[in-house]
Amino acid sequence: MTQNGWRKPTPGLLQAKRFAEVGEEVAIGKTRAMVAVKKVAAVIGLKAQDVLLLDLFGAVSQPQDWQTGRRPIVWPSNQFLMQQTGFALTTLRRHLRRLCELGVLAMSDSPNGKRWGRRGPDGVIVEAYGFDLSPLAARTAEFEALYAGLQAERTHCARLRRQITIARREIRAKIDAASEHGLTGLWDKFQTDLMDHLASIWAVKRAGDLEKLLAQLDALNSQIEHAFKHPGETIDQAKQLIKNVNAPKMTPKGVENGTHIQTTHDHYPVVEEDTEMRKQGMGGQDRRHLERRTGKKAGKLAVRTVTASCSHFTDMAQAIGQPLDNWQNLHHAADALRPMLGITRQSWGIAQNAMGPDQATAALALILDKTAEGAIASPTGYLQGLTRRAEAGALHLERSLHGRLARAREAVS
């Protein structure tokens, strides 16, 4: 016989028990406690099924159970829980165990391991054995502070992403300007460095990594500024001079209202798909042939709408030297940038078959921008969702793109 009766103690269960003792001494409303834990559920390791169980426990507890000196203990049977959640018994036990080990639920066991309880005439629990929600009351303030920190981190990341967008647009404009004026120098190297930095943005999630990326772009911007002042330097000379340059950050922190410089000279070589992929319609097809075969065009969408509303896509297409003056070039740019999102040729081909090449191109541009903004975690899954909507006749990309344009105008005004 252990100190918990029949249940074998673990560090997690013992910690949950200590949280329950603390929770008994505080008065935290049920709604506040449940909302707090849900907001940080994914961060502390809870699964969706765990939250479903917590919701169920919270529903059967009563407000007076959460007052100071009382414990919100509930005692539903396994049969009731399985009926309400659809879990098998082994699944139910696994989720209950995780809730206890993570310190959001404690077990109040009777001597024989049975769950039961009774309330007095005033509805207050007189005696009960089952699932103790007191740890939630004890940790509500902790969860609220954690969520506030997460919100601050998200806000900081969003601000850094905006600064990164401004920085790379400035770099792109300077490289294009150098090309237009025929300046000699390390412009090919600068373009390669820019692409290397942009290729890593998809894996960047934390503020520290974004700050590092922004610093790299600022350093590249300083090198480009130096190249403008010293045209024609050799690589060795530039490396030696740049190494000793400690220039201030060149990236403006406000909103950039200038027009994008879209002049480019070298087309990006789109890799030809293999014969089998072409037969399956999975990329690299002649656009007009695909359009005739699917009978689907861009509808109300215009090239300018896509390029203006999807600035990340536009900038990256320019960075690889792809002009964006018609749907054909837009499609080539999308096909070239697709691998950076981890979208397979098969998924790309299925999307084109369902939407037509123009709408599929617009969809990929939208996905690229949303991914760069941190709004999409799985580009492939998002594209598959748009494909299903297109097959059902419920896809309206023009609404999303025009909405982005409207929000951009509001941000500038």
Side-chain angles (χ1 to χ4, degrees):
M1 185 70 67
T2 65
Q3 69 180 70
N4 273 348
W6 59 273
R7 192 179 304 277
K8 181 179 179 180
T10 66
L13 293 179
L14 293 176
Q15 182 62 54
K17 183 179 179 181
R18 287 192 287 269
F19 281 137
E21 293 169 352
V22 174
E24 185 178 0
E25 302 303 320
V26 297
I28 299 292
K30 176 173 69 173
T31 300
R32 179 184 170 189
M34 298 302 295
V35 169
V37 71
K38 287 180 185 179
K39 286 181 176 179
V40 298
V43 180
I44 64 176
L46 294 180
K47 308 293 185 181
Q49 297 91 335
D50 303 329
V51 177
L52 176 63
L53 271 177
L54 279 179
D55 261 337
L56 189 57
F57 293 151
V60 297
S61 69
Q62 297 185 15
Q64 65 269 21
D65 301 339
W66 297 79
Q67 296 176 1
T68 304
R70 299 172 183 168
R71 292 196 181 189
I73 297 175
V74 295
W75 52 92
S77 66
N78 285 344
Q79 187 64 31
F80 173 80
L81 294 176
M82 289 189 291
Q83 287 175 349
Q84 295 297 313
T85 61
F87 296 161
L89 182 58
T90 54
T91 303
L92 174 65
R93 287 174 174 168
R94 183 172 65 253
H95 290 299
L96 289 172
R97 187 75 176 185
R98 179 159 46 234
L99 288 171
C100 293
E101 293 291 346
L102 292 176
V104 296
L105 187 71
M107 299 303 299
S108 177
D109 295 323
S110 66
N112 61 0
K114 300 293 184 179
R115 293 179 215 139
W116 61 275
R118 60 188 180 89
R119 296 180 181 271
D122 55 358
V124 175
I125 294 175
V126 175
E127 186 177 10
Y129 300 96
F131 306 111
D132 190 347
L133 300 175
S134 299
L136 288 181
R139 303 186 68 185
T140 294
E142 172 195 344
F143 292 152
E144 290 173 341
L146 176 59
Y147 180 70
L150 291 173
Q151 288 295 88
E153 171 90 359
R154 293 188 185 110
T155 300
H156 184 41
C157 285
R159 182 169 58 253
L160 289 170
R161 288 184 183 278
R162 288 193 294 270
Q163 293 175 353
I164 287 170
T165 297
I166 294 171
R168 62 184 176 80
R169 286 179 182 174
E170 182 179 353
I171 291 170
R172 181 68 253 161
K174 289 179 179 178
I175 292 175
D176 286 347
S179 178
E180 282 184 357
H181 291 86
L183 296 182
T184 57
L186 305 174
W187 304 108
D188 289 340
K189 175 182 179 300
F190 293 147
Q191 179 163 304
T192 300
D193 290 344
L194 176 61
M195 286 303 300
D196 289 342
H197 293 323
L198 294 180
S200 66
I201 196 172
W202 315 113
V204 175
K205 302 295 183 183
R206 299 182 181 277
D209 296 330
L210 288 170
E211 289 171 349
K212 181 179 179 181
L213 177 57
L214 179 59
Q216 291 171 340
L217 290 176
D218 284 335
L220 178 59
N221 205 354
S222 297
Q223 294 175 27
I224 292 174
E225 188 71 18
H226 177 86
F228 266 107
K229 297 177 181 178
H230 304 83
E233 285 182 333
T234 65
I235 292 179
D236 290 338
Q237 288 174 328
K239 285 182 177 178
Q240 184 61 38
L241 287 171
I242 292 171
K243 183 177 180 181
N244 298 324
V245 171
N246 187 19
K249 291 186 177 181
M250 302 297 296
T251 304
K253 304 307 178 187
V255 177
E256 182 182 71
N257 297 325
T259 304
H260 294 300
I261 298 175
Q262 296 191 3
T263 304
T264 54
H265 300 282
D266 299 323
H267 290 191
Y268 184 82
V270 179
V271 178
E272 182 70 18
E273 308 284 358
D274 59 72
T275 304
E276 184 62 28
M277 288 296 180
R278 290 201 304 274
K279 289 180 180 179
Q280 297 181 28
M282 296 179 182
Q285 308 96 325
D286 180 79
R287 181 180 165 278
R288 290 185 295 275
H289 169 68
L290 179 61
E291 191 173 272
R292 287 195 300 271
R293 180 159 56 84
T294 61
K296 298 171 182 175
K297 299 185 180 182
K300 300 177 182 179
L301 285 178
V303 170
R304 180 56 185 164
T305 301
V306 177
T307 57
S309 61
C310 300
S311 59
H312 296 278
F313 172 82
T314 301
D315 290 343
M316 295 195 70
Q318 291 173 350
I320 62 176
Q322 181 64 54
L324 301 178
D325 51 357
N326 56 54
W327 279 110
Q328 180 80 19
N329 289 337
L330 217 66
H331 183 73
H332 283 309
D335 191 55
L337 295 173
R338 168 189 56 79
M340 297 178 65
L341 293 169
I343 295 175
T344 64
R345 292 175 178 176
Q346 183 177 10
S347 296
W348 178 229
I350 292 173
Q352 293 180 79
N353 284 327
M355 305 178 199
D358 293 348
Q359 286 216 66
T361 296
L364 190 137
L366 179 63
I367 291 171
L368 189 149
D369 265 55
K370 284 179 170 287
T371 303
E373 293 162 1
I376 294 178
S378 173
T380 297
Y382 198 89
L383 179 63
Q384 290 171 347
L386 294 180
T387 301
R388 288 192 292 270
R389 289 169 60 185
E391 291 170 342
L395 181 63
H396 302 286
L397 281 177
E398 67 278 2
R399 298 178 185 176
S400 297
L401 297 178
H402 287 303
R404 289 176 65 85
L405 282 175
R407 288 190 293 274
R409 284 193 291 268
E410 290 175 359
V412 172
S413 61

